[in-house]
Amino acid sequence: MAAIAFAAAGLFAFNAVRVGSVKGTVNPADAAVRAWALSATDTLKAEINKGTFEIMDAKPGTYRVIIEAKPPYKNAAKDGVTVTDGQATDIGEIKLEQ
């Protein structure tokens, strides 16, 4: 009985990591294919649909978000995007240049 109580207490000692997301828009809406979020430990991606994206399952931390553009547009990046525990981080609009 004591072993079961000890094991149960150990399980509750760890907090579950709640993941967040990174979302935003791209202008022009049809100029990009994918959004990437890169951290020291993760590489995540999401398709861009009608100019919007949301990269799911991002662990808390700092990311570099890269927008993969269609030619003749150039890829764009935003550094220092912070994801907090269980929250959606809105990075706003990213304008792509030719």
Side-chain angles (χ1 to χ4, degrees):
M1 199 67 134
I4 293 172
F6 181 73
L11 290 174
F12 291 110
F14 296 100
N15 289 330
V17 174
R18 296 186 314 160
V19 294
S21 66
V22 177
K23 63 182 181 174
T25 59
V26 177
N27 187 5
D30 62 347
V33 181
R34 266 179 231 82
W36 297 82
L38 308 163
S39 74
T41 58
D42 285 324
T43 300
L44 306 168
K45 67 179 177 176
E47 300 299 315
I48 297 176
N49 187 14
K50 297 180 183 174
T52 64
F53 66 89
E54 185 166 11
I55 303 168
M56 305 298 290
D57 299 326
K59 295 176 190 165
T62 303
Y63 290 82
R64 180 173 204 225
V65 175
I66 299 171
I67 303 301
E68 186 179 337
K70 296 177 190 177
Y73 292 94
K74 297 176 185 173
N75 293 350
K78 182 168 181 130
D79 292 316
V81 175
T82 302
V83 174
T84 55
D85 200 20
Q87 301 294 314
T89 301
D90 189 341
I91 63 170
E93 181 181 78
I94 296 177
K95 292 186 180 196
L96 299 178
E97 296 180 9
Q98 291 189 17

